[in-house]
Each structure stands twice: as structure tokens, then as C-alpha cells.
């Protein structure tokens, strides 16, 4: 079974530029998560999708971050414009969980973003 | 709002010994799940063990067990017979109502030969 795929693995941009990350979850997983993990901290949930609907985006900085999951499969996370404090690893995860079950998440390798 | 507290930034354990990593949680959700994940230096996040809030028995998965004390709101991870490959960051996480997810700050475990 193929795991969660993410690209790119690394990205270096200058502040005020735009960047996009892509995630392909495990086939059949209805729930998809995007996390931001700053060096030395735990992952912080940015947005959670159930199929192509948003379940939780309470911690997504909506003035600069956006995410979509068209057709309930792949997802993209965009930052426009980037700030220095956006430097972090962006993790994508998927699970078979539903509203009433708590299933483990399978994580992708992450995208390491450096904003100069 | 949910909160996960991991009070041990770093821990050392001798190879083949057991170690306990602490996790306390705070949630108002009547139903929730508690998870532990391992993150080696390579960066990938690996699921270890899960405990449901209504589970009567503590979860076990091979060398991993979860010491769940609901009244104390604690969900400590016990690793038995530590191996060098256990050296990593360990994160406790909770899923609350409609799977609202919160991670702790992590504990860095180092296994000494």
C-alpha cells in the first residue's frame, strides 16, 4: 500500500513570495490533515478535511494561507505572501476516521519550507 | 479547547531498560481518543498506540503500553526493553469531538548503549 505522498520535499523562498504544497493521501482515506511543525515544537493542525469538506480550519491564518481538496482526494496548501515565521515543516496526514471514530493518522514525509 | 501537556523535554534510558513518557490532557469532550506518535530524526511521524476514552483496559502494542488513568487525565507511554532505535521524539496527541486534533510539545528520548 502506497503511503502519503508530498511534494516538494524542500522549498526555499523569499518573504512575500508565494508557495504551494501538494499532498496525495492513502487511497480510500476520507480524512486529510495539514499540520505546521516549527522546529522544536509539536505539529499544529492547520486544516482538516473530511472528503472535500472542511471540518476544522480554526488555526489556519486565512489572510495568507489557503487549502483545498478537490474531488476529495489530493490537496494543496498555499501561502501567499510568505513571512519569515512561516519557516517550518508542513506535514500532511490521512486517516480512515469519521466523525464518530478516532483512527490513527498516516503521515507523509513533509515539506521543509525556508523563508528568507 | 483541548490541551496536551508533556512535561519532560528530554529523557535518557539505558538500553534494555523500561522508560515512561508522561502525558496529561485536558478536554471537555465526553468522548476522545489518545495517541502516541514517534518522530525519528529523519522526520517521519509514526503511529505507536491508541487509547479510547471508554476503553476499560490499557492499550498495548508489542513493547509499547499506555498507562491510562482517566481520573487523573493522564496517558503515559511505557516502552519496555528499550532499543537504540527507540531514540526519537515522542508526541502525545488527542482527538476530541469530531476529531479535533491537538499534539503536545514532545519528549526527546535518548537510549544509551
Amino acid at each position: 500500500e502506497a503511503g502519503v505522498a508530498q511534494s516538494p520535499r524542500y522549498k526555499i523562498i523569499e518573504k512575500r513570495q508565494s508557495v504551494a504544497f501538494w499532498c496525495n493521501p492513502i487511497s480510500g482515506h476520507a480524512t486529510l490533515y495539514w499540520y505546521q511543525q516549527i522546529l522544536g515544537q509539536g505539529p499544529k493542525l492547520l486544516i482538516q478535511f473530511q472528503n472535500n469538506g472542511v471540518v476544522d480550519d480554526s488555526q489556519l491564518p486565512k489572510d495568507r494561507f489557503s487549502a483545498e481538496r478537490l474531488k476529495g482526494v489530493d490537496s494543496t496548501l498555499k501561502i501567499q505572501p510568505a513571512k519569515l515565521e512561516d519557516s517550518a515543516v508542513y506535514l500532511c496526514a490521512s486517516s480512515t476516521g469519521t466523525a464518530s471514530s478516532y483512527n490513527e493518522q498516516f503521515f507523509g514525509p513533509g515539506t521543509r519550507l525556508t523563508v528568507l | 479547547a483541548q490541551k496536551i501537556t508533556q512535561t519532560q523535554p528530554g529523557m535518557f534510558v539505558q538500553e534494555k531498560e523500561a522508560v515512561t513518557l508522561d502525558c496529561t490532557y485536558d478536554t471537555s469532550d465526553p468522548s476522545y481518543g489518545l495517541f502516541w506518535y514517534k518522530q525519528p530524526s529523519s522526520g517521519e511521524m509514526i503511529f505507536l498506540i491508541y487509547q479510547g476514552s471508554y476503553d476499560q483496559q490499557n492499550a498495548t502494542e508489542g513493547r509499547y503500553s499506555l498507562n491510562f488513568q482517566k481520573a487523573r487525565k493522564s496517558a503515559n507511554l511505557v516502552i519496555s526493553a528499550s532499543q537504540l532505535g527507540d531514540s526519537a521524539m515522542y508526541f502525545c496527541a488527542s482527538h476530541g469531538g469530531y476529531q479535533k486534533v491537538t499534539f503536545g510539545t514532545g519528549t526527546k528520548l535518548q537510549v544509551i548503549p
Side-chain angles (χ1 to χ4, degrees):
Chain A
E1 178 181 80
V4 176
Q6 288 187 251
S7 67
R9 292 295 311 278
Y10 305 90
K11 190 73 177 179
I12 300 174
I13 61 173
E14 294 191 349
K15 60 183 179 183
R16 292 188 288 274
Q17 285 188 322
S18 302
V19 64
F21 312 128
W22 172 82
C23 173
N24 183 256
I26 293 172
S27 177
H29 281 196
T31 307
L32 186 147
Y33 310 81
W34 281 103
Y35 293 92
Q36 179 192 60
Q37 187 175 22
I38 293 172
L39 187 65
Q41 299 182 18
K44 182 180 88 170
L45 178 68
L46 293 176
I47 190 166
Q48 176 182 341
F49 293 95
Q50 178 89 17
N51 296 309
N52 60 349
V54 175
V55 172
D56 181 7
D57 64 356
S58 58
Q59 298 189 100
L60 186 73
K62 298 180 184 66
D63 58 334
R64 298 185 301 106
F65 286 64
S66 64
E68 60 182 8
R69 190 183 185 196
L70 299 176
K71 301 180 182 178
V73 182
D74 292 9
S75 178
T76 55
L77 176 70
K78 297 179 182 177
I79 307 175
Q80 181 180 7
K83 293 184 176 181
L84 296 177
E85 59 261 37
D86 298 332
S87 293
V89 175
Y90 291 84
L91 296 166
C92 178
S94 69
S95 83
T96 58
T98 64
S100 58
S101 66
Y102 308 117
N103 294 359
E104 72 267 26
Q105 297 177 41
F106 296 84
F107 284 80
T111 296
R112 184 176 298 276
L113 174 67
T114 302
V115 182
L116 302 176
Chain B
Q2 298 177 95
K3 185 178 179 182
I4 297 287
T5 302
Q6 293 182 254
T7 57
Q8 306 154 313
M11 291 278 287
F12 289 92
V13 65
Q14 204 77 37
E15 193 178 7
K16 300 179 185 176
E17 297 290 312
V19 63
T20 298
L21 306 183
D22 294 342
C23 172
T24 58
Y25 61 92
D26 188 9
T27 178
S28 56
D29 292 309
S31 175
Y32 50 89
L34 297 159
F35 296 77
W36 278 91
Y37 290 87
K38 173 184 177 181
Q39 188 175 44
S41 57
S42 53
E44 75 271 28
M45 195 77 79
I46 303 164
F47 165 75
L48 296 178
I49 195 166
Y50 162 79
Q51 179 84 41
S53 58
Y54 292 115
D55 293 343
Q56 296 296 315
Q57 292 191 316
N58 288 342
T60 60
E61 288 284 351
R63 295 186 298 110
Y64 304 108
S65 60
L66 201 153
N67 184 0
F68 182 48
Q69 297 188 46
K70 196 170 183 178
R72 293 186 175 186
K73 294 192 173 181
S74 74
N76 299 338
L77 176 70
V78 180
I79 305 174
S80 62
S82 296
Q83 302 172 356
L84 295 178
D86 294 333
S87 293
M89 285 291 292
Y90 288 81
F91 292 97
C92 180
S94 68
H95 290 211
Y98 210 80
Q99 291 208 20
K100 191 172 280 291
V101 182
T102 304
F103 276 76
T105 53
T107 295
K108 184 174 183 178
L109 177 67
Q110 295 185 65
V111 180
I112 305 166

